[in-house]
Amino acid sequence: MTRPAPLARMVAAQAQRARDGLLRRLRTVGAVDGSRIVVDGRPLLDFASNDYLGLAQHPALREAMTRAVSKWGVGAGAAHLLGGHRDEHAALEEKLARWTGRERALLFSTGYMANLGVVAALLGEGDICVQDKLNHASLIDATRLAGCELVRYPHADADGATRQLRSRPNRAAMLATDAVFSMDGDLAPLAVLSRLCKKEGALLMVDDAHGIGVLGADGAGSLAQAGLGDDDAPILMATLGKALGTFGAFVAGTAALIDGLVQFARSHVYTTAMPPALAAAARVAVAIARTDDERRKRLHDNIARFRAGAAQRGIGLLPSVTAIQPVPVGDNARASTLAQRLHDAGFFVPAIRPPSVPANAARLRVSLSAAHGEDDIERLLDALGAALAAERG
Ligand SMILES: *Cc1c(COP(=O)(O)O)cnc(C)c1O
């Protein structure tokens, strides 16, 4: 028999990863108190979380969730279309639509599923999905599920995107981009891409997982910051599991878009609705993210403090105005060693290596939060400076 064995093949691929020093390790967190975490029994200051506004443990969210659990119990029990859609979900969708200035919004169980559902609902064989090279994995995977052609352009390169669209003028096209790139923290040129899409008749889809709650007036996100509405950027996807401190995702847009997704987005139709209590907590999170400018200011003050402190110490950073502040390292082994040094000094800062980033682009990824104090930032900067100095011997 010459049939290949899938499990043996995966085991071999894992062994190769181990030889390359690229094995990923699952760490178990035993306790969390804001940005203090206990990892494998050791207390660390957490600079890996996407809880940018420090809402995941907020008393008002806990209270809303507890209250909703006493009313609804825990699980939704069914898909949205089969009785799982509770008034908690409807109220959250309305609130998200108002916040993002769109006609309607639709909940998905995760951002990954939202991206799969949207792309596969709108594109099929013979169509193209034009994407930034550094887009999130879920947007890439979505094109496989849709069966369309994935066409990529160099990072943030609107001219590259133009060439890709113009070389296939007769194909139905979507241009999909992260608004804030998840491993770099920089911003997509949304206004330019919007104009390009209008001109070329392509549908623009923006994934604002890292911009919602962080950027724009009232934290309404990257599109609000760029002044782009339904007409300019018809599909907005954002997640509830990052700055909003809960779990899940939504797509916002016109009634026509949302009604169509209810019919055709299979990752919405064929899955259990999110627990209603989670929707209740997310509604409170939106209210806080929208109105608590002090909290958002604490985050942005921390970003400014980190960047200024890094410049003073000669620590190179990527150009990012967001909570994601990578320290470029390049070499995989170097990134791992630096992350280990920081761990030994009491800081959880992950080393990000291929395939999460391109070859020779390993980095330390520092995520900042409103939950960090000034002192936390200063201590991290000192530890980073010491780790880099130790490397130079
Ligand atoms: C985190 C993330 C997602 C996935 O969202 P989940 O709700 O965690 O599944 C999608 N896109 C981007 C850019 C992300 O950073």
Side-chain angles (χ1 to χ4, degrees), residues 40-87:
D40 296 331
R42 190 174 182 328
L44 297 173
L45 196 48
D46 186 10
F47 285 96
S49 171
N50 303 314
D51 182 18
Y52 303 132
L53 294 176
L55 292 179
Q57 293 189 309
H58 194 288
L61 272 70
R62 290 179 197 257
E63 202 207 318
M65 192 150 180
T66 307
R67 219 177 321 116
V69 165
S70 16
K71 177 173 177 187
W72 299 104
V74 178
H80 281 276
L81 287 168
L82 297 176
H85 192 68
R86 307 294 156 76
D87 62 14

Side-chain angles (χ1 to χ4, degrees), residues 45 47 301-317 325-327 338 342 345-349 364 366 368 372-390 392:
L45 196 48
F47 285 96
D301 286 350
N302 281 341
I303 296 168
R305 182 168 295 113
F306 179 74
R307 293 192 67 86
Q312 263 170 20
R313 292 166 176 81
I315 301 170
L317 298 177
Q325 293 290 332
V327 182
L338 286 168
L342 288 172
F347 300 87
F348 185 40
V349 179
L364 297 171
V366 174
L368 299 173
H372 291 126
E374 287 179 29
D375 209 48
D376 297 337
I377 308 288
E378 295 298 332
R379 282 171 50 214
L380 172 65
L381 285 162
D382 288 342
L384 251 177
L388 290 163
R392 288 189 291 267

Side-chain angles (χ1 to χ4, degrees), residues 50 109-113 115 135-139 178-182 207-210 237 239-242 247-249 365:
N50 303 314
S109 294
T110 70
Y112 192 109
M113 291 169 73
N115 282 342
N135 271 356
H136 191 261
S138 55
L139 282 170
D178 287 15
V180 175
F181 289 89
S182 54
D207 175 339
D208 204 19
H210 298 279
M237 194 292 291
T239 62
L240 305 173
K242 288 170 178 152
F247 187 79
R365 181 174 181 271

